[in-house]
Amino acid sequence: MMRVFQKILVGYDGSDNGRRALQAVAELAKKFSSKVYVVEVVDEASLYATGMLPPTSVIEEMWKKAKADIDQAIASLQGIDVTGDVVSGYPPSAITDYASKVGADLIVVGSRGLSTFKRILLGSVSTAVVQESKVPVLVVK
């Protein structure tokens, strides 16, 4: 039996890969009449990890950009039941936690396309989401 994705969460960041993930979600949502949740994570902790206190304006700009990204994503999903949210935290955990909170049965994220060497050094949000998630994850290249 084909699994029907009633609730789809897309981790979004406004990037080209994020927009491709959004396009894939749009197709799936139309096919399965899914509710879509678009979430962008503001990773404030990474700023503090530098050892310097970031200016409040930098954090405010990150939140403002994230809100604008979410508004743009919602506008691009016309005809689809969609909700958007901006949350704070470590991106992979924040995405999987949000998916659990809303009962998503599919998570869609864009691939950053890091080289193997960079992925080993830096890791990637998509890889970590795949590892942490309790539901299927679609990584869009």
Side-chain angles (χ1 to χ4, degrees):
M1 184 172 129
M2 177 105 174
R3 182 183 176 112
V4 176
F5 301 114
Q6 295 177 329
K7 295 180 180 180
I8 302 172
L9 174 87
V10 59
Y12 190 67
D13 62 2
S15 68
D16 288 344
N17 287 328
R19 283 191 286 281
R20 280 192 283 279
L22 210 54
Q23 288 173 329
V25 167
E27 291 177 36
L28 288 168
K30 287 174 185 167
K31 180 174 180 148
F32 295 112
S33 300
S34 309
K35 166 79 173 160
V36 173
Y37 300 86
V38 183
V39 67
E40 183 158 344
V41 182
V42 174
D43 186 4
E44 293 178 23
S46 66
L47 293 175
Y48 296 106
T50 63
M52 297 187 314
L53 192 62
T56 307
S57 61
V58 170
I59 294 170
E60 287 172 0
E61 282 304 312
M62 290 171 66
W63 280 89
K64 207 180 292 183
K65 179 209 174 285
K67 177 73 173 108
D69 288 346
I70 293 297
D71 290 345
Q72 178 270 323
I74 290 170
S76 75
L77 294 174
Q78 291 186 352
I80 294 170
D81 183 7
V82 60
T83 299
D85 207 357
V86 179
V87 298
S88 180
Y90 171 63
S93 298
I95 290 168
T96 55
D97 290 349
Y98 199 93
S100 294
K101 182 176 105 175
V102 300
D105 34 32
L106 176 67
I107 299 173
V108 180
V109 290
S111 166
R112 286 201 29 181
L114 295 174
S115 69
T116 304
F117 180 68
K118 284 183 181 174
R119 192 166 37 252
I120 290 168
L121 289 178
L122 303 174
S124 81
V125 171
S126 56
T127 300
V129 169
V130 168
Q131 291 171 343
E132 287 186 29
S133 180
K134 293 173 176 46
V135 297
V137 178
L138 172 62
V139 179
V140 179
K141 286 211 166 244

